[in-house]
Each structure stands twice: as C-alpha cells, then as structure tokens.
Amino acid sequence: MDIVDDFADWDFTGGEIQVLRSKPHEPPMKSSVWQCSVCTCYNDKKSTSCDICGVSRSSFIRYSSPTEIEIEVDSRLRKCELSKMARSLFSSKPQRFPKLDISYEDFQDFLRFGGPRRAYAAPRSKRCIHIVPFKFDTPSPDDVVSTGLKSAKTYLKAVDTSHLTKPPSGTKEKEKKTTNLSENTSANSSTGIEEEAKSLSENLQKLNLEKDNGPIKTRKPRPKPQYKPEKWMLTDQELGSRSQLNLAIVGHVDSGKSTLCGRLLHLHGQISNNQIHKYEKEAKDKRKGSFAYAWAMDESSDERERGVTMTVSVKYFDSKNYHVVLLDSPGHKDFVPNLISGTAQADAAILVVDASIGAFEAGMVGMTGMGQTKEHAQIIRSFGLEHIIVAINKLDSVEYSQGRFDLIKLQLGSFLRSCGFKESGLKWVPLSTMENQNLVEPPSDVRLLSWYNGGYLLDAIDFIPPPSRYISKPLILPICDVISSRTLGQLAVSGKLEAGAIHVGSKVIVMPSGTVATVRTIERNGANCNVARAGDNVCIGLQNIGDDQLTSGGTLCHVDFPVRIASVLELKILVLEISTPILVGFQVEFHVHHAKASARVEKIISLIDQRTGEILKKAPRMLSGKQSAIIIVNLDREVCVEEFATCRALGRVFLRSSGSTIAVGIVNRISEQS
C-alpha cells in the first residue's frame, strides 16, 4: 500500500485529524471532493485540475475505438491516436485500480505497529487492467550463455545468425538481411525459426566455451618510456685524453700480484724513488724485504703485518693507448668475496701465475681440488671478460726455463679454453717482477732472450681492444664502498659507472632505499671533475640523504629508470668442481656485483646442455660438478638486480659455500613474488 494512498482520504482541518468514515464500497463525501475522469483520483473541490495527472476538472476521457481516445479539455474534444507500444501493452481500455479506504482502527494500528493490520480492498468499479507481458523479439546473449544450447529452442521469434558464421560483405547485403529480418518477424514462420535456432546451436558448439581452443589473447603491457640521452652525455672526449681501461690483477696467493702493480707504478713515475726506499727500509725492519713494492698497494697495517692483500686497491698509470686503472685483488681464499667485488669493475684481467716448483701446482689443485688460480680464472670469465693476459711470474726461480713455461702454458691453457676463453683472447707473457724482466721493455737476460721473442707486458696491455661503453643508456652505478673525505663530504660512494653519465647537480635515486639525492662533487682518478661517463671509476659525494640509506651493494640510478630489487630469482648456473652435491634446501652465499646475501636453493627446475641450452632432465634430485642447470633461489633480503638480458653488470651471480665458489651463472628471470 502506497503511503500517498494511505493518507489520501484523511482530512487535516482544524489542527486535528478527521478520518472520513465511509463504507468499503462507497466513495468519500462527494460534497467536498471531485473524481478525475482520467486517473479516477479524488481531489479537493477547490482544485481546478487533478493533483496526480494534471487533467482539468472539466475534462473527460472517452475511448472511441481500440486505437484512439477522445479527451475533453475546456469543453473541446480532442482525438489522440494510441501508439503501437500502448496497443501492445494494453489489450483493453486502461483502467485504474481503486484506492482503498482506511478506517480509524487501521490508523491506530499504523501508529502502534508501523502499519495497518487490516486492509479493506473495495473496488469502486468493475473495470480492471489487463497487461500483456512484454516479450523480446530476440534472445539476449546473456540468456543464451546462461541457459545453454536448449535456450535456442525456447524463443519463437526469428533470429538472424548469419553474422556468426560470415562477416558482412557490404552495405547492400546488410540492407537485405535487415529486410529479411523484418519479413521473417512479421510472417513468424515456424520453419525458419527452427532452422535459425539450429544454426545458433551449431555456432555455440563451435565456440566450445568449456574447452581451451588456443592461447588466450591478453592485452600487451604498456611499453616503458624509451630513454633519450642528453647532449652533454654524448660529447666527444677531451683532446688528447686516453681511453680508460680497468685492469683486474688476479691470481693465487703469493704469486706476486701486488709486487707487479708496485713495480709498474714505479716504472711509470707514479711512485718516487724516495718512497720506494722508505718502503724497503720498513719492510726490512719487519723481516719482509721482498714486500717493498707490494706495500705501494697494501697500505693498511693489517695487510702489511700479515703480508696478504685483503681489499681491492686502486691505482692509476698511463700507457701508450690507455689510462690504466689497476685493481689489485686479494688472492687468499678467505677474501674471494672482495675479489668478486673488484673484478666486477674490470674490463680485462691479468692472471698472475707463480712459476716456482710446487707453487703453480698448488694454484691449480689446492686442498679441495680447485686452487685459487682455477677459481679466479672462472670468476673473471663469468664476468664476461674475454681478454686475459697470463703473466707467468718468478721465472728467475727456475732459471728462465722454457720447459717450465711450456708446461704451464699447456696445462693452464687447456683449462682456460674449457672455461670459455678463446685462443685469440689469451696472451702469454713470461716475466720476473723482482728483476724487472719483460715488464715495460724487452727483457735483457740472455736466458730469456734465447727462446722468447714476443712482446713485453706493457705492450700486451696496449694491444687489448677498447672496451664497449653504454653511455647512451640510463645511469647505473653499483656502489662498491661508502666513504667520507674532506673533499667529498661526509657521505660519498665509490664505484664504476656501468651505464649512462652523471654530472655535478644531477638528481639520482639510491636503491634499494628509493631515496632521491643530489650529486655534490665528483672525483675521477683522484681529481675533481664535472662530468663522468660509463667506464669511469669515480667517487661521488651526495647530499640530501642519510647515512643509513647508503650501503655497499646498492645502486645509483636515473630518477626515472630505477633498477629492480628482488629476493626470488631464477638462475642459469654452471656448477664448478664440488665435493658435496647441491640439493633442494642447500644454503649458499649469493653474490651479485658488490652485494651479497644468504640464500637457499628453493627448486631445481632442470638440467640443461651447456652448449645448446636444451633440457636434459626435469626436476633432478641433485646437482654435481660440471653440470649446468636452472634453479630458483630465495634470498634472505632484497638486492639490486636485473635480468642478464637487460643489464649484464647486474645479472651475473656467484654461489659460494664453505669458503669456495661452487657455481657461477646469470639471472635468467626475476620472480613476480619479489
């Protein structure tokens, strides 16, 4: 019951409610109201038009025929033709249901219970409304899918399903189909209906909604905005400046790496004679006279006391073709993580081998089956270094024996080729660092000249092809170390620019913290500069950043192109010589550029052929030495990483366990769970 109808017969006069009592079949007091001839609603006698439909009091409606009506407005008859919709909806004259009379008891129930308990339905007229249900001419697609194939037989209207089998082929054909549709609808032919319904059923079967007919077409992700380098990044180098070559010095412990670096610096004038005499005196006082040149690189008291390089030392000198950056890396097995961090910045390497009897064999075999010479060679190859100089040092201890040189070249050469080095990328140089033979000029000892006529070490360095630089890509600078100095400020980072360029005043984003900082100062080769490009080893002072947001292993990036951070990675690895097999759940130490984290082998996906990349076995139970596989590792924290196909510098990884490198590889995919 409508609220308006409930209060229609109540008279609100004199501040009190007067309920018009009347019999159920009698209208209210006719002396005070008048009935509308259109909607049959009772209105106050003072109203000149109906409050509901707006028809004038003097108007009346007359149904002259089933298709038209006559309405009297202001004593004039007006004929109005009924619309087709009205004719289809109403089969007879539209009538209105009479309103209901409400008694005083119903009003009391309304106040008490929120509504009347009784209702008096008393029609004032025998006229009634006959509403014909509205029917759609065609079934909707939702009805067809929800009710299934049987729904096609329930509709009795003609349906044109030609568009499901054949595409439209012109405007004239569309017009013909529209004409046929109207004719079929008006004719309502049962034969045509059955044929169309059958055709619709067949087309629905072809759709095969329950089975997968092929790959699902998904919307392609929006491509990332393409990076456009600025003009200042691509400017030519200064006139007369040399290209920079980052040269990693690696090898077994006590093979003479630091001494070789110190001798090269002294011969190029980077270390004065007075400084060398000072080093010699201090070394003799500590009974380590042969370490005088090594102390040019090993500057810390711990390194000098133990006689072992522990961190990566960086020094510079200029050759004929290059500005050479020496990265003196530690050779002891306890400091291999530092070796990995230093080699990550290198463009080429010098593998120093001790030719002394027993020393070379220890570097090849070692206590666990793999010496540091082998491990270092595999590490530098895993970093993508294709050019390597094998410096066979300390030949003076074996009287510059050609047989010893050939033996080392034969055994070590076969191993290097198995690691992936090409013969064209290998250069073999015999020398003696302590006697300054074959370093920066041809040898003078007749014992060496009698069988060797190749180039000297510095000549081999100049013949290394220039490395490729990614200057036109977004900025990427892995943080090697966090430092502080007077010139750089309290917060500064050091590392090699892997891609892009940077200048004073640049805005950079520090990952993984995501903090935006400003470049305050830049130092390259120990001198201030305004611009640094890919390949440069730099120290950068930052401002507008806290010290807790800078960590070794982080990355400085372009503000609009930050690198990804992840903790779940799919790796393609090569297992090295190991004594314990790798199983699911195996705990490893994960290394990528300058970052390291504890990790767990989550899953071994498959064994693959190292040469072809084909899958040999799915879900193997374990991995043994010299096998290639695809695995998933879960790190205990997020690190800055990229897929190898996107950025090689951030996509090379190393797995270590029990102080040894057990596998090398690349990041094949970054899991979406990260």
Side-chain angles (χ1 to χ4, degrees):
M1 183 180 295
D2 204 317
I3 296 178
V4 177
D5 293 337
D6 292 343
F7 292 93
D9 294 338
W10 295 350
D11 187 15
F12 298 90
T13 58
E16 296 180 358
I17 300 176
Q18 296 181 3
V19 181
L20 303 179
R21 299 179 181 274
S22 61
K23 295 180 180 181
H25 296 283
E26 294 181 1
M29 299 175 63
K30 295 184 179 180
S31 59
S32 60
V33 296
W34 61 274
Q35 187 177 12
C36 178
S37 60
V38 176
C39 63
T40 68
C41 178
Y42 291 97
N43 301 278
D44 189 82
K45 64 180 181 179
K46 297 180 181 180
S47 300
T48 58
S49 61
C50 180
D51 296 335
I52 302 301
C53 63
V55 176
S56 176
R57 180 176 181 180
S58 59
S59 304
F60 70 93
I61 184 170
R62 180 188 303 168
Y63 295 87
S64 59
S65 68
T67 60
E68 61 182 12
I69 60 175
E70 295 180 356
I71 300 177
E72 180 181 354
V73 180
D74 297 333
S75 301
R76 294 183 181 180
L77 289 177
R78 295 185 179 180
K79 291 186 178 182
C80 300
E81 185 178 358
L82 294 176
S83 64
K84 294 181 180 180
M85 179 64 72
R87 277 181 278 169
S88 63
L89 292 177
F90 302 99
S91 61
S92 62
K93 299 177 183 180
Q95 301 292 337
R96 172 179 170 84
F97 286 110
K99 293 185 292 182
L100 303 179
D101 296 335
I102 300 177
S103 62
Y104 180 77
E105 290 80 8
D106 293 333
F107 177 72
Q108 294 294 331
D109 294 340
F110 181 86
L111 297 177
R112 185 178 304 174
F113 303 105
R117 288 182 297 176
R118 296 178 300 169
Y120 295 91
R124 294 184 177 86
S125 174
K126 295 182 180 181
R127 295 175 296 177
C128 60
I129 299 175
H130 299 281
I131 301 177
V132 180
F134 185 78
K135 298 180 180 179
F136 288 99
D137 292 338
T138 59
S140 67
D142 293 338
D143 294 336
V144 174
V145 175
S146 61
T147 58
L149 301 179
K150 296 181 180 180
S151 63
K153 300 179 181 179
T154 60
Y155 293 95
L156 300 179
K157 296 294 181 180
V159 182
D160 186 8
T161 60
S162 60
H163 64 281
L164 295 176
T165 57
K166 295 182 179 180
S169 60
T171 309
K172 293 182 179 180
E173 295 181 2
K174 292 182 180 180
E175 294 178 355
K176 290 181 180 180
K177 291 180 181 180
T178 307
T179 306
N180 294 334
L181 179 62
S182 61
E183 292 177 357
N184 292 336
T185 306
S186 61
N188 195 11
S189 174
S190 60
T191 305
I193 296 171
E194 294 177 357
E195 293 178 356
E196 298 293 346
K198 184 178 179 180
S199 176
L200 179 61
S201 301
E202 293 177 355
N203 292 325
L204 289 174
Q205 290 178 357
K206 292 179 181 179
L207 291 177
N208 197 7
L209 298 176
E210 297 179 355
K211 296 182 180 180
D212 186 11
N213 292 330
I216 300 175
K217 295 182 179 180
T218 58
R219 182 178 296 177
K220 296 182 179 179
R222 294 182 178 179
K224 295 182 179 180
Q226 187 176 4
Y227 176 74
K228 296 182 180 180
E230 301 180 24
K231 293 183 179 180
W232 62 269
M233 299 171 56
L234 305 177
T235 54
D236 296 333
Q237 293 184 350
E238 294 81 2
L239 184 63
S241 63
R242 297 178 175 88
S243 299
Q244 180 165 307
L245 179 67
N246 301 303
L247 198 60
I249 313 299
V250 299
H252 189 60
V253 63
D254 292 334
S255 60
K257 300 183 299 298
S258 298
T259 302
L260 174 63
C261 293
R263 177 70 81 168
L264 289 175
L265 294 174
H266 177 250
L267 294 175
H268 283 85
Q270 300 298 318
I271 302 176
S272 62
N273 292 330
N274 293 334
Q275 191 70 31
I276 289 296
H277 291 317
K278 178 182 178 182
Y279 290 154
E280 289 177 351
K281 182 179 180 180
E282 293 177 354
K284 288 181 180 179
D285 293 341
K286 294 185 178 182
R287 298 180 181 180
K288 295 180 180 180
S290 60
F291 284 81
Y293 287 98
W295 282 8
M297 305 298 293
D298 300 337
E299 298 178 348
S300 67
S301 58
D302 292 339
E303 290 177 327
R304 292 182 177 183
E305 187 69 28
R306 296 180 57 179
V308 176
T309 302
M310 302 169 64
T311 60
V312 178
S313 302
V314 182
K315 297 293 182 179
Y316 318 92
F317 74 89
D318 291 333
S319 67
K320 180 180 178 181
N321 297 333
Y322 292 111
H323 174 73
V324 181
V325 179
L326 292 176
L327 302 169
D328 184 24
S329 304
H332 198 277
K333 64 178 183 178
D334 293 341
F335 306 107
V336 173
N338 295 338
L339 165 76
I340 295 174
S341 178
T343 311
Q345 308 176 57
D347 302 314
I350 296 179
L351 178 61
V352 183
V353 178
D354 190 350
S356 303
I357 303 298
F360 167 71
E361 289 75 12
M364 293 294 291
V365 179
M367 298 178 61
T368 59
M370 176 179 287
Q372 296 304 300
T373 302
K374 280 188 174 182
E375 184 174 357
H376 292 190
Q378 289 179 326
I379 288 176
I380 61 179
R381 184 65 187 97
S382 300
F383 273 112
L385 305 184
E386 299 179 353
H387 299 279
I388 179 175
I389 300 174
V390 183
I392 302 178
N393 191 24
K394 299 184 181 181
L395 272 178
D396 56 303
S397 62
V398 292
E399 303 295 331
Y400 296 99
S401 171
Q402 181 181 1
R404 183 64 173 173
F405 176 83
D406 293 338
L407 176 64
I408 294 174
K409 183 178 180 180
L410 177 64
Q411 295 184 6
L412 183 57
S414 61
F415 175 77
L416 294 177
R417 285 187 291 270
S418 67
C419 294
F421 288 101
K422 298 180 180 180
E423 191 64 35
S424 59
L426 297 177
K427 183 67 175 178
W428 302 85
V429 180
L431 52 86
S432 174
T433 303
M434 294 302 298
E435 295 187 0
N436 189 18
Q437 292 294 321
N438 210 29
L439 292 179
V440 296
E441 57 185 14
S444 58
D445 196 299
V446 294
R447 293 174 295 180
L448 183 58
L449 285 173
S450 62
W451 57 270
Y452 180 75
N453 56 2
Y456 47 91
L457 179 62
L458 188 61
D459 191 28
I461 293 175
D462 284 330
F463 272 98
I464 295 177
S468 58
R469 305 300 187 192
Y470 304 101
I471 300 177
S472 60
K473 291 188 176 182
L475 172 68
I476 295 179
L477 191 152
I479 299 175
C480 177
D481 196 9
V482 180
I483 59 178
S484 62
S485 65
R486 295 180 180 179
T487 56
L488 295 172
Q490 294 296 325
L491 295 176
V493 297
S494 63
K496 175 192 173 186
L497 273 168
E498 295 292 347
I502 193 172
H503 65 84
V504 176
S506 296
K507 296 289 185 180
V508 296
I509 183 170
V510 182
M511 299 298 289
S513 64
T515 306
V516 177
T518 305
V519 177
R520 180 174 174 266
T521 54
I522 300 176
E523 281 189 4
R524 182 181 59 192
N525 303 334
N528 290 335
C529 62
N530 294 325
V531 179
R533 297 179 177 86
D536 294 339
N537 285 77
V538 295
C539 296
I540 298 178
L542 300 174
Q543 60 184 6
N544 301 330
I545 190 173
D547 55 353
D548 57 337
Q549 297 168 338
L550 290 176
T551 58
S552 178
T555 309
L556 298 187
C557 315
H558 191 282
V559 176
D560 299 329
F561 297 88
V563 300
R564 301 176 66 177
I565 56 174
S567 60
V568 181
L569 305 173
E570 180 183 290
L571 308 179
K572 184 184 294 184
I573 64 170
L574 170 64
V575 183
L576 306 181
E577 297 179 5
I578 56 176
S579 57
T580 304
I582 299 176
L583 304 172
V584 174
F586 194 79
Q587 297 291 333
V588 296
E589 190 177 272
F590 178 85
H591 292 262
V592 56
H593 54 92
H594 305 293
K596 62 179 180 179
S598 299
R600 177 179 178 271
V601 178
E602 195 73 21
K603 184 179 180 181
I604 302 176
I605 298 178
S606 61
L607 282 176
I608 59 175
D609 191 328
Q610 183 178 354
R611 295 182 179 180
T612 63
E614 297 179 356
I615 297 177
L616 302 177
K617 183 179 180 181
K618 293 184 178 180
R621 189 175 64 87
M622 65 178 185
L623 298 178
S624 56
K626 298 183 179 180
Q627 288 184 332
S628 295
I630 297 177
I631 65 173
I632 294 178
V633 295
N634 195 343
L635 312 183
D636 63 348
R637 66 180 182 89
E638 292 182 331
V639 296
C640 297
V641 68
E642 286 285 356
E643 295 178 358
F644 181 76
T646 303
C647 180
R648 295 190 174 188
L650 301 185
R652 303 183 189 273
V653 300
F654 302 86
L655 303 181
R656 290 177 53 81
S657 177
S658 302
S660 300
T661 304
I662 61 173
V664 296
I666 61 175
V667 178
N668 194 37
R669 186 174 62 89
I670 297 177
S671 176
E672 297 297 334
Q673 300 176 1
S674 300

